[in-house]
Amino acid sequence: MASVESPPPREVGSIARLHHNYRVFGLIIGSHLELPELASITKALPDVLVTVGGVPRRLDHPSAAGPLWEVDDEHFLLRIPGVAAYLVTGGRTVTIEPHAGVVPGDVRLYLLGTALGALLHQRRMLPLHAATALVKGRAVAFAGESGAGKSTLVAHLGERGYPILSDDVTVVTLGRHRRPVAHAGVRLIKLWADALQFLGCDSRGLLRDHSGLQKFHLPINGLDPAVSFPLREVYVLTDGPEVTLRRLSGLQSVAALARNTYRLRIGRALGSTPSHFEVCTRISQTASVKIVRRPRTVESIPELLDRLETEWGTTGR
Amino acid sequence: MGDDGALRARPGIVWIASYPRSGNTWIRIVLNRLLLPRHEWQDDLDQLIGGDGHSGDRSLFDGVVGVDAAELDADVSDSLRPRVYETLARESTGTRLVKVHDAYRLTSSGEPLFPASATRCVIHAVRDPRDVAVSLAHFFAMTMDEAVNCICDPKQTIDGTPGRLDRQLPQRLFDWSGHATSWLSCPLPRLTVRFEDMLADPFTTFRRVARFAEIPSPTSHFIPTIEASEFSRLQNMEEKTPLREKPHSAGRFFRRGRSGSWRDALNTTQVIRIIEAHGDVMKSLGYLEERQGTGAS
């Protein structure tokens, strides 16, 4: 696995100008910008610096590109029309050039989404597209495509008393004995208006995810951001006429995990595939990976969770 | 027998474009069977057509663009859709079928939603809008009036419900004749086929489709394909395994497979409404004879 060094002393000196410190996914972030979505910590030596500054329009020699991004050996460049440009370098620094008059929440949306995803890939930390809760001290991840219902499901688990480790992205690294561990993520769940309603929550007073959308941030509290937990179960959510669970073979598990990697194409362009494959293989060896089919309706959630609680032996908490 | 012919076929996507409930899935089943050797045929419709692209597939967009459509302004994501299709075309080998319910139009940045550079051809399926309305009503559990409203609404869109994240990106349909006209006048290589002709003479109709799509269809393979894809057989298959494409609450994809059943299902007012809104295009597609009038009993 590639190792990523701490910022060189010259950059560390600039911490004095950085006002905010956070921890997410086991990384310490020093930031020019306030990032209320992250767990705040007292000043500490940062692993990653987030600054505001000039960002080039293009990379000189991109090795790969998508409609909104370019990549070379050291850099990931992301341009969001009307919002900001982000340059992510070597898994250590993020420079943001915002457009004039932009809503700060919108700048953070792409910083904590795709830009952070690219950073994780650069650091060879596997980002699964999954929401994760803690069950008896172990991480249980729910993976699936956008709209599959991961956040909604995990929010309901939160309601049933299970601590929530992360929402949209679950970062998995190999800990002691090369056992996969999942790290605490961004401290909020993003839920659409309908899901909020079903949970019985009021959207008033909640930050909107994106200024134009009916998606809101529900804060997660109460979990020490410094901790990580052994990953023991992964459920891959997909559609079906009724609730069924099926365990996958080792090979199928690796494929399912790889498929459910956050920003997979960008990761591939950044060369993270071999490293992530190794982590996916270890997950398939040490955790159970199951496909969950169910109707994509709010009504199916209680049935599925009851079923899972029976499996986990936690019914009637 | 495989997709060998595609090595000589033009590159690019084969768009199967239609207003909903007009034979889109049926065409894809037939073409997928033609592309597969017989021993690989499935009775599971999902496995057969599940690999087809869908122009409104959110995951396709999110995966290619690297930013979720749900995180972008609607006009930004709209303007990026042609890039997604170009990438899909570039990275596909053999024949790539993509289901389209969108009307053909320009994006907010003024370029075609479906780029010529990504296109091999368009198979455009149409159906009598009176039967479309009836089929819509059953499939989406609407009243006939609601279904007629849909096909007469120039702002009709699939998905795009504000309070939740739909599986698909919003797809603008226009009204029934607006949809038809958009494809009839698009600048891409196009074959328009009528659902009624698929029913009445499947061998001739699907042969034209296969040829236009440059999908090899030697008689020895073609005949069993059409026989195995006969409507009632598809109904049986769907009964066993509901299609994943189907919205959760929807009726069957293969419900009745008849043309003209609107006569028993629509009242005079509904029929008049449809003809007033769509009569010109209906006539040009052969759905209105001079003497036919409303056909009401």
Side-chain angles (χ1 to χ4, degrees), chain A residues 62-71 265 269, chain B residues 64 87 90:
Chain A
S63 53
L68 297 177
W69 52 268
E70 291 176 341
V71 148
R265 186 178 283 252
Chain B
V64 169
T87 304
R90 200 168 48 236

Side-chain angles (χ1 to χ4, degrees), chain B residues 58-116:
Chain B
R58 182 177 292 285
S59 303
L60 172 67
F61 181 103
D62 293 352
V64 169
V65 174
V67 179
D68 291 353
E71 294 171 322
L72 295 166
D73 281 339
D75 57 339
V76 172
S77 54
D78 198 54
S79 68
L80 291 173
R81 285 176 66 183
R83 307 284 84 76
V84 175
Y85 304 138
E86 284 162 357
T87 304
L88 180 63
R90 200 168 48 236
E91 296 179 359
S92 295
T93 53
T95 297
R96 161 62 80 180
L97 303 176
V98 176
K99 170 177 180 169
V100 180
H101 281 321
D102 289 276
Y104 180 89
R105 60 177 172 86
L106 303 181
T107 68
S108 45
S109 37
E111 58 167 313
L113 180 58
F114 301 101

Side-chain angles (χ1 to χ4, degrees), chain B residues 41-54:
Chain B
W41 283 0
Q42 312 268 4
D43 257 1
D44 184 332
L45 294 182
D46 252 326
Q47 298 218 32
L48 188 59
I49 59 170
D52 290 348
H54 190 301

Side-chain angles (χ1 to χ4, degrees), chain B residues 229-262:
Chain B
S229 310
E230 200 247 309
F231 201 88
S232 60
R233 293 181 73 156
L234 301 183
Q235 277 174 310
N236 287 335
M237 271 190 275
E238 186 180 11
E239 221 145 300
K240 292 193 202 123
T241 13
L243 281 149
R244 275 190 60 199
E245 271 178 35
K246 199 170 72 120
H248 171 69
S249 50
R252 287 172 288 157
F253 260 91
F254 300 102
R255 186 186 64 93
R256 206 157 179 212
R258 246 164 268 172
S259 63
S261 59
W262 60 268

Side-chain angles (χ1 to χ4, degrees), chain A:
Chain A
M1 270 179 20
S3 67
V4 183
E5 299 154 5
S6 300
R10 179 167 41 86
E11 289 174 35
V12 165
S14 66
I15 288 174
R17 295 201 299 279
L18 298 172
H19 304 295
H20 313 282
N21 293 283
Y22 305 97
R23 185 192 290 272
V24 68
F25 298 133
L27 298 172
I28 295 176
I29 316 277
S31 172
H32 271 170
L33 300 176
E34 264 197 86
L35 305 174
E37 296 87 352
L38 302 186
S40 205
I41 57 171
T42 55
K43 213 148 65 164
L45 212 64
D47 300 304
V48 177
L49 300 179
V50 176
T51 59
V52 174
V55 169
R57 285 202 68 74
R58 293 259 98 89
L59 294 179
D60 287 333
H61 304 289
S63 53
L68 297 177
W69 52 268
E70 291 176 341
V71 148
D72 67 26
D73 279 348
E74 268 280 289
H75 303 100
F76 171 76
L77 173 63
L78 173 70
R79 308 195 69 88
I80 305 292
V83 178
Y86 306 78
L87 183 68
V88 185
T89 306
R92 295 170 306 140
T93 65
V94 182
T95 310
I96 306 174
E97 186 180 337
H99 284 230
V102 73
V103 173
D106 289 353
V107 175
R108 295 197 305 268
L109 174 62
Y110 308 105
L111 167 65
L112 298 177
T114 298
L116 180 56
L119 184 112
L120 292 164
H121 281 290
Q122 285 174 340
R123 296 184 75 99
R124 304 299 187 248
M125 296 168 72
L126 172 65
L128 288 180
H129 206 179
T132 299
L134 293 181
V135 178
K136 299 204 262 197
R138 301 163 336 181
V140 172
F142 293 86
E145 56 194 34
S146 288
K150 318 181 273 301
S151 303
T152 309
L153 209 55
V154 165
H156 280 260
L157 279 175
E159 282 293 294
R160 293 191 183 202
Y162 299 91
I164 299 171
L165 195 62
S166 59
D167 175 34
D168 199 34
V169 176
T170 295
V171 173
V172 183
T173 59
L174 299 183
R176 270 187 331 155
H177 309 303
R178 293 180 73 244
R179 288 194 172 276
V181 293
H183 298 265
V186 174
R187 304 320 295 145
L188 54 85
I189 309 184
K190 299 187 184 185
L191 291 176
W192 289 81
D194 282 7
L196 269 180
Q197 218 171 20
F198 193 68
L199 262 179
C201 293
D202 191 347
S203 63
R204 281 174 300 179
L206 293 183
L207 265 184
R208 271 182 196 264
D209 188 45
H210 176 238
S211 38
L213 293 176
Q214 277 206 52
K215 197 174 179 190
F216 299 92
H217 295 178
L218 192 65
I220 316 170
N221 296 310
L223 202 66
D224 180 350
V227 291
S228 59
F229 296 87
L231 178 66
R232 285 298 154 79
E233 316 259 359
V234 180
Y235 296 97
V236 182
L237 299 176
T238 185
D239 296 325
E242 43 182 38
V243 176
T244 61
L245 277 76
R246 183 171 67 88
R247 181 147 185 181
L248 296 180
S249 71
L251 217 57
Q252 290 170 330
S253 298
V254 176
L257 293 165
R259 237 179 10 246
N260 282 281
T261 301
Y262 183 71
R263 304 308 182 231
L264 177 60
R265 186 178 283 252
I266 290 172
R268 211 176 272 147
L270 290 169
S272 65
T273 307
S275 160
H276 290 339
F277 186 80
E278 194 186 328
V279 179
C280 291
T281 304
R282 276 306 283 158
I283 297 174
S284 74
Q285 291 165 346
T286 57
S288 115
V289 181
K290 295 187 173 120
I291 293 264
V292 177
R293 290 194 197 283
R294 85 273 182 256
R296 206 189 281 212
T297 61
V298 280
E299 290 78 22
S300 73
I301 295 174
E303 185 193 335
L304 173 59
L305 293 186
D306 288 344
R307 185 105 179 239
L308 291 176
E309 286 194 302
T310 308
E311 284 206 357
W312 300 334
T314 56
T315 308
R317 267 170 78 103

